[in-house]
């Protein structure tokens, strides 16, 4: 009886953990960020994967984040901690633009 209760507790802890923070993938392909606009929650991880044959960067206009050159077939991860709207672009190709919105964690997920 007691063992069953512990098992239930363990499972619910795992489920809560899975919904508390997520990993979002943005593909860099054809000189575009896909998706171009992404909204995540604070604490989530965003991973940009470069599927092109040239290096790109992920650089926010306000310089909050800058990936450095992401080589082809490499990726760069950011843990989005501070809520806000961040427009970003690629330094070598300024016409490549994206928007990352970091929302606050809703009370039910705290
Ligand atoms: Cu680029």
């Amino acid at each position: 009886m007691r063992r069953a209760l512990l098992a239930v507790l363990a499972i619910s802890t795992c489920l809560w953990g899975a919904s508390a923070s997520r990993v979002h993938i943005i593909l860099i392909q054809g000189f575009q960020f896909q998706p171009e606009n992404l909204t995540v929650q604070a604490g989530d991880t965003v991973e940009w994967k470069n599927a092109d044959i040239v290096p790109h960067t992920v650089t926010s206009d306000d310089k909050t984040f800058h990936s450095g050159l992401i080589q082809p077939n490499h990726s760069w991860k950011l843990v989005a901690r501070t809520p806000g709207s961040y427009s970003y672009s690629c330094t070598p190709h300024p016409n490549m633009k994206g928007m990352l919105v970091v929302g606050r964690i809703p009370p039910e997920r705290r």
Side-chain angles (χ1 to χ4, degrees), residues 7-64:
V8 168
L9 279 174
I11 289 167
S12 58
T13 303
C14 285
L15 288 174
W16 187 86
S19 67
S21 91
R22 296 176 187 182
V23 178
H24 306 263
I25 307 285
I26 296 176
L27 198 62
I28 309 175
Q29 196 170 41
F31 291 78
Q32 284 181 322
F33 298 107
Q34 303 171 11
E36 206 172 290
N37 299 294
L38 179 69
T39 300
V40 304
Q41 298 301 325
D44 286 0
T45 298
V46 185
E47 180 175 356
W48 282 264
K49 288 188 172 179
N50 185 3
D52 273 343
I53 56 168
V54 297
H56 295 292
T57 75
V58 174
T59 309
S60 68
D61 295 355
D62 66 1
K63 307 293 181 217
T64 299

Short mmCIF file of all heavy atoms in Angstrom, two decimals, residues 7-64:
data_model
loop_
_atom_site.label_atom_id
_atom_site.label_comp_id
_atom_site.label_asym_id
_atom_site.label_seq_id
_atom_site.Cartn_x
_atom_site.Cartn_y
_atom_site.Cartn_z
N ALA A 7 5.04 5.14 -5.59
CA ALA A 7 5.13 5.04 -7.05
C ALA A 7 4.30 6.14 -7.70
O ALA A 7 4.74 6.78 -8.66
CB ALA A 7 4.65 3.67 -7.51
N VAL A 8 3.12 6.39 -7.18
CA VAL A 8 2.26 7.45 -7.73
C VAL A 8 2.94 8.81 -7.60
O VAL A 8 2.96 9.62 -8.51
CB VAL A 8 0.89 7.45 -7.01
CG1 VAL A 8 0.10 8.71 -7.36
CG2 VAL A 8 0.10 6.20 -7.39
N LEU A 9 3.55 9.03 -6.44
CA LEU A 9 4.26 10.30 -6.22
C LEU A 9 5.38 10.47 -7.23
O LEU A 9 5.56 11.54 -7.81
CB LEU A 9 4.83 10.35 -4.81
CG LEU A 9 3.85 10.74 -3.71
CD1 LEU A 9 4.50 10.61 -2.35
CD2 LEU A 9 3.35 12.16 -3.94
N ALA A 10 6.14 9.40 -7.48
CA ALA A 10 7.27 9.47 -8.40
C ALA A 10 6.79 9.80 -9.81
O ALA A 10 7.37 10.63 -10.50
CB ALA A 10 8.04 8.14 -8.39
N ILE A 11 5.70 9.16 -10.23
CA ILE A 11 5.18 9.39 -11.59
C ILE A 11 4.70 10.83 -11.74
O ILE A 11 5.02 11.50 -12.71
CB ILE A 11 4.05 8.39 -11.91
CG1 ILE A 11 4.63 6.98 -12.08
CG2 ILE A 11 3.29 8.79 -13.17
CD1 ILE A 11 3.61 5.88 -12.08
N SER A 12 3.96 11.32 -10.76
CA SER A 12 3.44 12.67 -10.90
C SER A 12 4.57 13.71 -10.89
O SER A 12 4.49 14.72 -11.57
CB SER A 12 2.41 12.98 -9.81
OG SER A 12 2.98 12.81 -8.55
N THR A 13 5.63 13.44 -10.16
CA THR A 13 6.78 14.34 -10.16
C THR A 13 7.41 14.40 -11.55
O THR A 13 7.75 15.47 -12.05
CB THR A 13 7.84 13.88 -9.13
OG1 THR A 13 7.20 13.81 -7.87
CG2 THR A 13 8.99 14.84 -9.05
N CYS A 14 7.52 13.24 -12.22
CA CYS A 14 8.09 13.20 -13.56
C CYS A 14 7.22 13.98 -14.54
O CYS A 14 7.73 14.75 -15.35
CB CYS A 14 8.20 11.76 -14.07
SG CYS A 14 9.55 10.85 -13.30
N LEU A 15 5.92 13.80 -14.46
CA LEU A 15 5.02 14.50 -15.38
C LEU A 15 5.11 16.01 -15.19
O LEU A 15 5.18 16.77 -16.14
CB LEU A 15 3.57 14.04 -15.16
CG LEU A 15 3.26 12.62 -15.63
CD1 LEU A 15 1.86 12.22 -15.23
CD2 LEU A 15 3.44 12.50 -17.14
N TRP A 16 5.18 16.42 -13.94
CA TRP A 16 5.29 17.85 -13.66
C TRP A 16 6.59 18.39 -14.23
O TRP A 16 6.62 19.43 -14.86
CB TRP A 16 5.23 18.09 -12.15
CG TRP A 16 5.18 19.54 -11.84
CD1 TRP A 16 4.09 20.33 -11.78
CD2 TRP A 16 6.30 20.40 -11.59
NE1 TRP A 16 4.45 21.61 -11.51
CE2 TRP A 16 5.79 21.69 -11.39
CE3 TRP A 16 7.69 20.20 -11.53
CZ2 TRP A 16 6.62 22.79 -11.11
CZ3 TRP A 16 8.51 21.26 -11.25
CH2 TRP A 16 7.97 22.54 -11.05
N GLY A 17 7.66 17.60 -14.05
CA GLY A 17 8.97 18.03 -14.56
C GLY A 17 8.95 18.19 -16.06
O GLY A 17 9.51 19.13 -16.61
N ALA A 18 8.25 17.28 -16.77
CA ALA A 18 8.24 17.33 -18.23
C ALA A 18 7.51 18.58 -18.72
O ALA A 18 7.88 19.15 -19.73
CB ALA A 18 7.58 16.08 -18.79
N SER A 19 6.46 19.00 -18.00
CA SER A 19 5.70 20.15 -18.49
C SER A 19 6.32 21.46 -18.02
O SER A 19 6.00 22.52 -18.52
CB SER A 19 4.25 20.05 -18.02
OG SER A 19 4.21 20.20 -16.62
N ALA A 20 7.23 21.40 -17.05
CA ALA A 20 7.77 22.63 -16.48
C ALA A 20 8.75 23.33 -17.41
O ALA A 20 8.79 24.54 -17.45
CB ALA A 20 8.45 22.34 -15.15
N SER A 21 9.56 22.59 -18.15
CA SER A 21 10.44 23.26 -19.10
C SER A 21 10.59 22.40 -20.34
O SER A 21 10.60 21.18 -20.27
CB SER A 21 11.79 23.58 -18.46
OG SER A 21 12.69 22.54 -18.65
N ARG A 22 10.69 23.08 -21.47
CA ARG A 22 10.69 22.37 -22.74
C ARG A 22 11.87 22.79 -23.59
O ARG A 22 12.47 23.83 -23.35
CB ARG A 22 9.41 22.69 -23.51
CG ARG A 22 8.19 22.17 -22.79
CD ARG A 22 6.92 22.55 -23.49
NE ARG A 22 5.81 22.15 -22.63
CZ ARG A 22 4.52 22.30 -22.94
NH1 ARG A 22 4.20 22.84 -24.10
NH2 ARG A 22 3.59 21.92 -22.11
N VAL A 23 12.16 21.99 -24.60
CA VAL A 23 13.19 22.33 -25.58
C VAL A 23 12.50 22.61 -26.91
O VAL A 23 11.68 21.82 -27.36
CB VAL A 23 14.20 21.17 -25.73
CG1 VAL A 23 15.25 21.52 -26.78
CG2 VAL A 23 14.88 20.86 -24.40
N HIS A 24 12.79 23.76 -27.48
CA HIS A 24 12.21 24.16 -28.76
C HIS A 24 13.33 24.20 -29.81
O HIS A 24 14.41 24.71 -29.53
CB HIS A 24 11.59 25.55 -28.67
CG HIS A 24 10.59 25.68 -27.56
ND1 HIS A 24 9.24 25.55 -27.75
CD2 HIS A 24 10.76 25.91 -26.23
CE1 HIS A 24 8.62 25.71 -26.58
NE2 HIS A 24 9.51 25.93 -25.65
N ILE A 25 13.04 23.65 -30.97
CA ILE A 25 14.05 23.63 -32.04
C ILE A 25 13.69 24.67 -33.10
O ILE A 25 12.54 24.73 -33.55
CB ILE A 25 14.09 22.24 -32.73
CG1 ILE A 25 14.26 21.12 -31.70
CG2 ILE A 25 15.18 22.21 -33.79
CD1 ILE A 25 15.63 20.98 -31.11
N ILE A 26 14.68 25.48 -33.47
CA ILE A 26 14.53 26.38 -34.62
C ILE A 26 15.54 25.92 -35.66
O ILE A 26 16.75 25.86 -35.38
CB ILE A 26 14.76 27.85 -34.24
CG1 ILE A 26 13.69 28.32 -33.24
CG2 ILE A 26 14.76 28.74 -35.49
CD1 ILE A 26 13.90 29.73 -32.73
N LEU A 27 15.05 25.60 -36.84
CA LEU A 27 15.92 25.15 -37.91
C LEU A 27 16.39 26.36 -38.71
O LEU A 27 15.59 27.23 -39.06
CB LEU A 27 15.13 24.19 -38.82
CG LEU A 27 15.95 23.29 -39.74
CD1 LEU A 27 16.85 22.35 -38.95
CD2 LEU A 27 15.01 22.51 -40.66
N ILE A 28 17.70 26.44 -38.96
CA ILE A 28 18.23 27.48 -39.85
C ILE A 28 18.48 26.80 -41.19
O ILE A 28 19.35 25.93 -41.31
CB ILE A 28 19.54 28.08 -39.32
CG1 ILE A 28 19.39 28.52 -37.86
CG2 ILE A 28 19.96 29.27 -40.18
CD1 ILE A 28 20.70 29.02 -37.24
N GLN A 29 17.66 27.17 -42.16
CA GLN A 29 17.74 26.49 -43.46
C GLN A 29 17.34 27.46 -44.55
O GLN A 29 16.36 28.20 -44.39
CB GLN A 29 16.79 25.28 -43.45
CG GLN A 29 17.05 24.30 -44.57
CD GLN A 29 16.26 23.01 -44.39
OE1 GLN A 29 15.10 23.04 -44.00
NE2 GLN A 29 16.90 21.90 -44.65
N GLY A 30 18.11 27.46 -45.64
CA GLY A 30 17.80 28.36 -46.76
C GLY A 30 17.87 29.82 -46.35
O GLY A 30 17.07 30.63 -46.81
N PHE A 31 18.81 30.15 -45.44
CA PHE A 31 18.98 31.52 -44.96
C PHE A 31 17.70 32.04 -44.30
O PHE A 31 17.32 33.19 -44.46
CB PHE A 31 19.45 32.46 -46.09
CG PHE A 31 20.86 32.17 -46.55
CD1 PHE A 31 21.12 31.09 -47.39
CD2 PHE A 31 21.91 32.95 -46.12
CE1 PHE A 31 22.42 30.82 -47.80
CE2 PHE A 31 23.23 32.69 -46.53
CZ PHE A 31 23.47 31.61 -47.37
N GLN A 32 17.02 31.14 -43.57
CA GLN A 32 15.82 31.52 -42.84
C GLN A 32 15.80 30.81 -41.50
O GLN A 32 16.27 29.68 -41.38
CB GLN A 32 14.56 31.11 -43.61
CG GLN A 32 14.24 32.01 -44.79
CD GLN A 32 12.97 31.56 -45.49
OE1 GLN A 32 12.72 30.37 -45.62
NE2 GLN A 32 12.19 32.51 -45.95
N PHE A 33 15.22 31.49 -40.50
CA PHE A 33 14.94 30.84 -39.23
C PHE A 33 13.55 30.23 -39.31
O PHE A 33 12.58 30.93 -39.63
CB PHE A 33 15.00 31.86 -38.08
CG PHE A 33 16.36 32.50 -37.91
CD1 PHE A 33 16.58 33.82 -38.28
CD2 PHE A 33 17.42 31.77 -37.37
CE1 PHE A 33 17.83 34.41 -38.11
CE2 PHE A 33 18.68 32.36 -37.20
CZ PHE A 33 18.89 33.68 -37.58
N GLN A 34 13.43 28.94 -39.01
CA GLN A 34 12.15 28.25 -39.13
C GLN A 34 11.82 27.57 -37.79
O GLN A 34 12.53 26.62 -37.44
CB GLN A 34 12.21 27.19 -40.25
CG GLN A 34 12.59 27.79 -41.59
CD GLN A 34 12.85 26.71 -42.64
OE1 GLN A 34 12.56 25.53 -42.45
NE2 GLN A 34 13.40 27.09 -43.77
N PRO A 35 10.81 28.01 -37.04
CA PRO A 35 9.93 29.12 -37.39
C PRO A 35 10.60 30.47 -37.13
O PRO A 35 11.52 30.56 -36.32
CB PRO A 35 8.74 28.93 -36.45
CG PRO A 35 9.33 28.30 -35.23
CD PRO A 35 10.44 27.41 -35.75
N GLU A 36 10.09 31.48 -37.84
CA GLU A 36 10.67 32.81 -37.71
C GLU A 36 10.27 33.44 -36.37
O GLU A 36 11.05 34.17 -35.77
CB GLU A 36 10.13 33.66 -38.87
CG GLU A 36 11.02 34.80 -39.28
CD GLU A 36 10.50 35.46 -40.55
OE1 GLU A 36 10.57 34.81 -41.62
OE2 GLU A 36 10.00 36.59 -40.49
N ASN A 37 9.04 33.16 -35.94
CA ASN A 37 8.55 33.68 -34.65
C ASN A 37 8.28 32.51 -33.72
O ASN A 37 7.63 31.55 -34.11
CB ASN A 37 7.24 34.46 -34.85
CG ASN A 37 7.43 35.64 -35.77
OD1 ASN A 37 8.14 36.59 -35.44
ND2 ASN A 37 6.83 35.59 -36.94
N LEU A 38 8.80 32.62 -32.49
CA LEU A 38 8.59 31.54 -31.53
C LEU A 38 8.33 32.14 -30.16
O LEU A 38 9.01 33.08 -29.74
CB LEU A 38 9.84 30.64 -31.48
CG LEU A 38 9.76 29.47 -30.49
CD1 LEU A 38 8.74 28.43 -30.95
CD2 LEU A 38 11.12 28.81 -30.32
N THR A 39 7.33 31.59 -29.48
CA THR A 39 7.04 32.00 -28.10
C THR A 39 7.33 30.82 -27.18
O THR A 39 6.88 29.70 -27.44
CB THR A 39 5.57 32.43 -27.96
OG1 THR A 39 5.34 33.54 -28.83
CG2 THR A 39 5.27 32.86 -26.53
N VAL A 40 8.10 31.06 -26.14
CA VAL A 40 8.43 30.02 -25.16
C VAL A 40 8.12 30.56 -23.77
O VAL A 40 7.81 31.74 -23.60
CB VAL A 40 9.93 29.63 -25.26
CG1 VAL A 40 10.27 29.20 -26.68
CG2 VAL A 40 10.84 30.76 -24.81
N GLN A 41 8.24 29.69 -22.77
CA GLN A 41 8.09 30.13 -21.39
C GLN A 41 9.46 30.30 -20.77
O GLN A 41 10.42 29.61 -21.15
CB GLN A 41 7.28 29.09 -20.59
CG GLN A 41 5.86 28.88 -21.09
CD GLN A 41 5.04 30.15 -21.08
OE1 GLN A 41 5.19 31.00 -20.19
NE2 GLN A 41 4.18 30.31 -22.07
N ALA A 42 9.56 31.20 -19.80
CA ALA A 42 10.83 31.38 -19.09
C ALA A 42 11.28 30.04 -18.53
O ALA A 42 10.48 29.30 -17.97
CB ALA A 42 10.66 32.41 -17.98
N GLY A 43 12.54 29.72 -18.70
CA GLY A 43 13.08 28.44 -18.25
C GLY A 43 13.20 27.43 -19.37
O GLY A 43 13.90 26.42 -19.22
N ASP A 44 12.52 27.67 -20.49
CA ASP A 44 12.61 26.76 -21.63
C ASP A 44 13.96 26.92 -22.33
O ASP A 44 14.62 27.95 -22.21
CB ASP A 44 11.50 27.05 -22.65
CG ASP A 44 10.13 26.56 -22.18
OD1 ASP A 44 10.04 26.00 -21.07
OD2 ASP A 44 9.16 26.75 -22.92
N THR A 45 14.33 25.88 -23.06
CA THR A 45 15.56 25.91 -23.85
C THR A 45 15.20 26.06 -25.32
O THR A 45 14.27 25.42 -25.80
CB THR A 45 16.36 24.61 -23.64
OG1 THR A 45 16.72 24.52 -22.26
CG2 THR A 45 17.62 24.59 -24.49
N VAL A 46 15.92 26.92 -26.03
CA VAL A 46 15.74 27.06 -27.47
C VAL A 46 17.04 26.61 -28.13
O VAL A 46 18.13 27.03 -27.73
CB VAL A 46 15.43 28.52 -27.86
CG1 VAL A 46 15.14 28.61 -29.36
CG2 VAL A 46 14.26 29.06 -27.06
N GLU A 47 16.90 25.73 -29.10
CA GLU A 47 18.08 25.22 -29.81
C GLU A 47 17.96 25.56 -31.28
O GLU A 47 16.99 25.20 -31.93
CB GLU A 47 18.19 23.70 -29.61
CG GLU A 47 19.40 23.11 -30.31
CD GLU A 47 19.59 21.62 -30.02
OE1 GLU A 47 18.83 21.05 -29.21
OE2 GLU A 47 20.51 21.04 -30.61
N TRP A 48 18.95 26.30 -31.79
CA TRP A 48 19.00 26.62 -33.22
C TRP A 48 19.93 25.61 -33.90
O TRP A 48 21.09 25.45 -33.48
CB TRP A 48 19.56 28.03 -33.42
CG TRP A 48 18.60 29.14 -33.16
CD1 TRP A 48 17.84 29.80 -34.09
CD2 TRP A 48 18.31 29.78 -31.91
NE1 TRP A 48 17.09 30.79 -33.48
CE2 TRP A 48 17.36 30.80 -32.15
CE3 TRP A 48 18.76 29.57 -30.59
CZ2 TRP A 48 16.86 31.62 -31.13
CZ3 TRP A 48 18.27 30.38 -29.58
CH2 TRP A 48 17.33 31.38 -29.85
N LYS A 49 19.41 24.97 -34.94
CA LYS A 49 20.21 23.98 -35.68
C LYS A 49 20.51 24.52 -37.07
O LYS A 49 19.58 24.83 -37.83
CB LYS A 49 19.44 22.66 -35.81
CG LYS A 49 19.33 21.90 -34.51
CD LYS A 49 18.72 20.51 -34.73
CE LYS A 49 18.81 19.70 -33.46
NZ LYS A 49 18.20 18.36 -33.62
N ASN A 50 21.78 24.58 -37.40
CA ASN A 50 22.17 25.11 -38.71
C ASN A 50 22.23 23.98 -39.74
O ASN A 50 23.16 23.17 -39.74
CB ASN A 50 23.54 25.80 -38.60
CG ASN A 50 23.94 26.46 -39.92
OD1 ASN A 50 23.18 26.44 -40.88
ND2 ASN A 50 25.13 27.02 -39.95
N ALA A 51 21.25 23.97 -40.64
CA ALA A 51 21.20 22.95 -41.69
C ALA A 51 21.72 23.50 -43.02
O ALA A 51 21.60 22.84 -44.04
CB ALA A 51 19.76 22.44 -41.85
N ASP A 52 22.27 24.71 -43.01
CA ASP A 52 22.84 25.28 -44.23
C ASP A 52 24.31 24.88 -44.37
O ASP A 52 24.88 24.27 -43.47
CB ASP A 52 22.72 26.81 -44.19
CG ASP A 52 21.39 27.31 -44.72
OD1 ASP A 52 20.69 26.53 -45.41
OD2 ASP A 52 21.03 28.47 -44.44
N ILE A 53 24.92 25.26 -45.50
CA ILE A 53 26.33 24.91 -45.72
C ILE A 53 27.25 26.08 -45.41
O ILE A 53 28.44 26.03 -45.69
CB ILE A 53 26.57 24.41 -47.17
CG1 ILE A 53 26.10 25.45 -48.19
CG2 ILE A 53 25.86 23.07 -47.40
CD1 ILE A 53 26.57 25.15 -49.60
N VAL A 54 26.70 27.15 -44.84
CA VAL A 54 27.51 28.29 -44.39
C VAL A 54 27.20 28.57 -42.92
O VAL A 54 26.12 28.21 -42.43
CB VAL A 54 27.21 29.57 -45.22
CG1 VAL A 54 27.58 29.37 -46.68
CG2 VAL A 54 25.75 29.98 -45.09
N PRO A 55 28.15 29.18 -42.20
CA PRO A 55 27.89 29.51 -40.79
C PRO A 55 26.90 30.67 -40.64
O PRO A 55 26.84 31.55 -41.49
CB PRO A 55 29.26 29.92 -40.25
CG PRO A 55 30.25 29.69 -41.33
CD PRO A 55 29.51 29.54 -42.61
N HIS A 56 26.14 30.62 -39.55
CA HIS A 56 25.20 31.69 -39.22
C HIS A 56 25.38 32.05 -37.75
O HIS A 56 25.99 31.30 -36.99
CB HIS A 56 23.75 31.24 -39.43
CG HIS A 56 23.40 30.95 -40.85
ND1 HIS A 56 23.34 31.92 -41.83
CD2 HIS A 56 23.08 29.79 -41.48
CE1 HIS A 56 22.98 31.37 -42.98
NE2 HIS A 56 22.83 30.07 -42.80
N THR A 57 24.79 33.18 -37.36
CA THR A 57 24.74 33.51 -35.93
C THR A 57 23.29 33.77 -35.52
O THR A 57 22.42 33.99 -36.38
CB THR A 57 25.56 34.76 -35.55
OG1 THR A 57 24.86 35.93 -35.97
CG2 THR A 57 26.95 34.74 -36.16
N VAL A 58 23.06 33.75 -34.23
CA VAL A 58 21.78 34.14 -33.64
C VAL A 58 22.12 35.28 -32.68
O VAL A 58 22.71 35.06 -31.62
CB VAL A 58 21.14 32.96 -32.87
CG1 VAL A 58 19.89 33.41 -32.14
CG2 VAL A 58 20.83 31.82 -33.83
N THR A 59 21.80 36.50 -33.10
CA THR A 59 22.25 37.69 -32.34
C THR A 59 21.06 38.61 -32.10
O THR A 59 20.45 39.11 -33.05
CB THR A 59 23.33 38.44 -33.14
OG1 THR A 59 24.35 37.51 -33.54
CG2 THR A 59 23.93 39.57 -32.32
N SER A 60 20.71 38.81 -30.83
CA SER A 60 19.56 39.67 -30.55
C SER A 60 19.93 41.13 -30.81
O SER A 60 21.09 41.53 -30.62
CB SER A 60 19.08 39.49 -29.11
OG SER A 60 20.03 39.98 -28.20
N ASP A 61 18.95 41.91 -31.26
CA ASP A 61 19.21 43.31 -31.59
C ASP A 61 19.74 44.08 -30.39
O ASP A 61 20.56 44.99 -30.53
CB ASP A 61 17.92 43.99 -32.11
CG ASP A 61 17.46 43.36 -33.42
OD1 ASP A 61 18.18 42.50 -33.96
OD2 ASP A 61 16.37 43.74 -33.91
N ASP A 62 19.25 43.71 -29.17
CA ASP A 62 19.70 44.43 -27.97
C ASP A 62 20.94 43.79 -27.34
O ASP A 62 21.35 44.17 -26.24
CB ASP A 62 18.57 44.51 -26.94
CG ASP A 62 18.18 43.12 -26.40
OD1 ASP A 62 18.79 42.11 -26.80
OD2 ASP A 62 17.25 43.06 -25.57
N LYS A 63 21.52 42.80 -28.04
CA LYS A 63 22.76 42.11 -27.61
C LYS A 63 22.59 41.30 -26.33
O LYS A 63 23.58 40.97 -25.66
CB LYS A 63 23.93 43.09 -27.43
CG LYS A 63 24.20 43.98 -28.63
CD LYS A 63 24.70 43.20 -29.83
CE LYS A 63 24.99 44.14 -31.02
NZ LYS A 63 24.65 43.56 -32.29
N THR A 64 21.34 40.97 -25.97
CA THR A 64 21.13 40.09 -24.81
C THR A 64 21.78 38.73 -25.05
O THR A 64 22.36 38.13 -24.15
CB THR A 64 19.63 39.90 -24.53
OG1 THR A 64 19.06 41.18 -24.26
CG2 THR A 64 19.37 38.98 -23.35
#
